[in-house]
Amino acid sequence: MQLLPRAVPACCVLLFLLSLLGCDTPESRPPVQTLESPQIRLTKLTTGFSFAVKMALLPDGRWLVSEKNTGFVRLVDAAFHLQAQPVLDVAVNQVSERGLLGIAAHPDFAHNGYVYIAYVASASGQDSEDPEDVSRIQVSRFRLQGTHADSPLQALITLPARPGPYHNGGCIRFGPDGKLYISLGELNRHVNLNSQLRGKPRGKILRYNDDGSIPPNNPFGPDNPTYIYGLRNSFGFAFASPGHGLFVSDNGPNGHDKLSKAFPGENLGWPLVWGIAEHWYERLAAWFLGTRYRPPLWESFDDHVAPTAVQVIPNNVYGPAMRQRLLMSSFVKGEILQFSLDAMSRNTLLGIGTFASGLTNIVDLQFDSEGRLYVLTINALYRVDAVAK
């Protein structure tokens, strides 16, 4: 018996079959409300950075800031004065997105003084603008004593830096489990499948012990640092409550920027699925990737956002309604977006809006112990204060 006339194109047959798969589409999601912006005031605290990238808050109220092109780790004291001399200077290849990238303080910094950095090391041992003068992406640590590095730089983890010079990732953070998490981009402007190869580090969130070894309970075994895969280039991620996954930003090609939530061992789809599966071929790819595939919470589609940092508002400083909302900064738009999720699973997007705007080139977000938000741009540090209505 002939079910479809011969004149029906093959793609229509495929669409008919895909409609039976139940893949995630914009039409299948609940409506998303527009969130009201909170009443806030931006206060500029520190200036003078030379292309800052990431920051780390120390227990005594001081800040460490990484500078991309200089390879400097800068110190900001508790009164927000920028120390003239860098704490540390590493030799970086600074071409395009390369340079000194992530920085993080050890969870037990008060006792051991350890600070971790991720940088694209030059092969010559000097700061370099030669695209070929590159050896590796290095994750190292040093001990901070007072206002300077008091120990030789200790190399812990070596990652590939070629082909580059794009999509290096480089965000490093300690999780609530005390493990070190690192984002590594797929190191290429062109589409390739490295992000889908779980045995390769490119296009991943990687998980290590604080000494650079691989935890035995990683999702793909004790010899594989891969924690989440299928990324293009993530500049930021944040931890949900313990055991409830990671929120991850990812930069797409000419738009198609994403915000996702993922659990250990899950696949965010790149390059087979660019974002929310609105096209038939993306829906087919999502089905092909299977149960490990996790669709994004949000996608920018054709809008170019260039997302950087991700954070979760920890308390009621900005009002009870803002507690546990997700924040993501935009490098090109100079604003911070806010997202509300369902209260139970935190897997469904309910609302989106602007948290703050009017800045330029935001690269990082951090909360202090009281729940106040600090915003780092490439040349200044700001605090976001709540304003009573």
Side-chain angles (χ1 to χ4, degrees):
M1 182 175 68
Q2 185 174 335
L3 297 178
L4 293 169
R6 292 179 183 272
V8 176
C11 64
C12 293
V13 177
L14 183 58
L15 283 172
F16 170 76
L17 295 174
L18 287 171
S19 68
L20 303 179
L21 298 178
C23 295
D24 185 61
T25 66
E27 294 78 13
S28 68
R29 294 185 167 211
V32 176
Q33 69 179 98
T34 299
L35 302 176
E36 181 180 353
S37 299
Q39 297 292 315
I40 58 172
R41 179 178 62 252
L42 286 167
T43 302
K44 184 182 288 186
L45 303 171
T46 310
T47 60
F49 302 116
S50 177
F51 209 128
V53 178
K54 293 293 181 182
M55 58 183 168
L57 176 61
L58 302 179
D60 60 7
R62 296 182 298 166
W63 297 83
L64 294 174
V65 175
S66 60
E67 289 185 346
K68 174 188 174 301
N69 294 335
T70 63
F72 290 169
V73 174
R74 307 297 303 274
L75 178 66
V76 178
D77 68 22
F80 301 105
H81 300 131
L82 178 62
Q83 179 176 291
Q85 296 300 316
V87 167
L88 181 73
D89 180 9
V90 293
V92 296
N93 185 291
Q94 59 188 245
V95 176
S96 187
E97 296 175 359
R98 291 172 174 168
L100 175 56
L101 305 172
I103 188 166
H106 192 281
D108 199 25
F109 173 87
H111 294 99
N112 61 32
Y114 280 140
V115 177
Y116 293 67
I117 57 173
Y119 63 101
V120 183
S122 67
S124 64
Q126 299 179 342
D127 292 346
S128 175
E129 296 181 351
D130 178 359
E132 297 304 315
D133 182 20
V134 60
S135 60
R136 64 200 178 281
I137 293 177
Q138 188 69 58
V139 179
S140 301
R141 71 181 179 190
F142 64 92
R143 182 175 285 109
L144 181 68
Q145 180 66 39
T147 60
H148 63 281
D150 193 38
S151 63
L153 197 60
Q154 180 184 7
L156 299 178
I157 301 161
T158 298
L159 299 169
R162 292 180 183 272
Y166 309 96
H167 305 175
N168 303 282
C171 181
I172 59 174
R173 299 193 67 187
F174 279 94
D177 56 1
K179 305 303 182 183
L180 180 64
Y181 293 76
I182 304 166
S183 71
L184 179 62
E186 34 87 299
L187 296 170
N188 199 323
R189 292 188 72 175
H190 307 291
V191 173
N192 60 69
L193 290 176
N194 283 293
S195 299
Q196 288 296 317
L197 302 177
R198 296 183 304 205
K200 304 290 184 180
R202 291 162 59 176
K204 312 293 191 299
I205 302 292
L206 307 169
R207 179 176 182 256
Y208 294 89
N209 293 315
D210 65 351
D211 62 358
S213 61
I214 300 173
N217 62 344
N218 269 11
F220 301 112
D223 299 321
N224 191 337
T226 296
Y227 192 71
I228 292 166
Y229 64 111
L231 289 116
R232 184 172 182 265
N233 191 32
S234 175
F235 289 128
F237 53 88
F239 300 91
S241 56
H244 288 81
L246 283 175
F247 296 110
V248 185
S249 70
D250 199 13
N251 283 258
N254 300 318
H256 300 285
D257 301 318
K258 298 191 301 184
L259 176 65
S260 301
K261 183 183 179 183
F263 290 84
E266 288 192 328
N267 182 354
L268 298 184
W270 176 260
L272 302 178
V273 186
W274 284 21
I276 294 172
E278 63 170 351
H279 301 293
W280 68 264
Y281 46 85
E282 289 184 300
R283 296 174 66 191
L284 178 61
W287 171 81
F288 172 77
L289 293 176
T291 57
R292 285 194 184 275
Y293 170 67
R294 171 75 64 160
L297 294 169
W298 169 88
E299 182 197 351
S300 69
F301 295 101
D302 293 331
D303 194 14
H304 184 46
V305 174
T308 49
V310 181
Q311 286 285 358
V312 180
I313 299 178
N315 56 24
N316 296 343
V317 164
Y318 301 103
M322 299 298 298
R323 183 185 180 94
Q324 291 299 300
R325 286 199 180 163
L326 191 60
L327 302 181
M328 183 180 73
S329 52
S330 165
F331 185 82
V332 298
K333 293 182 176 294
E335 64 184 14
I336 303 170
L337 299 176
Q338 58 166 315
F339 303 85
S340 65
L341 307 175
D342 68 291
M344 294 297 293
S345 69
R346 306 274 289 161
N347 292 334
T348 303
L349 178 66
L350 300 181
I352 182 173
T354 301
F355 179 85
S357 59
L359 296 170
T360 303
N361 300 139
I362 302 173
V363 288
D364 203 9
L365 306 172
Q366 293 286 333
F367 286 97
D368 66 14
S369 59
E370 297 179 4
R372 294 177 297 182
L373 180 66
Y374 291 77
V375 182
L376 183 67
T377 69
I378 61 173
N379 52 31
L381 176 65
Y382 297 79
R383 185 179 63 238
V384 181
D385 296 308
V387 176
K389 293 185 179 180

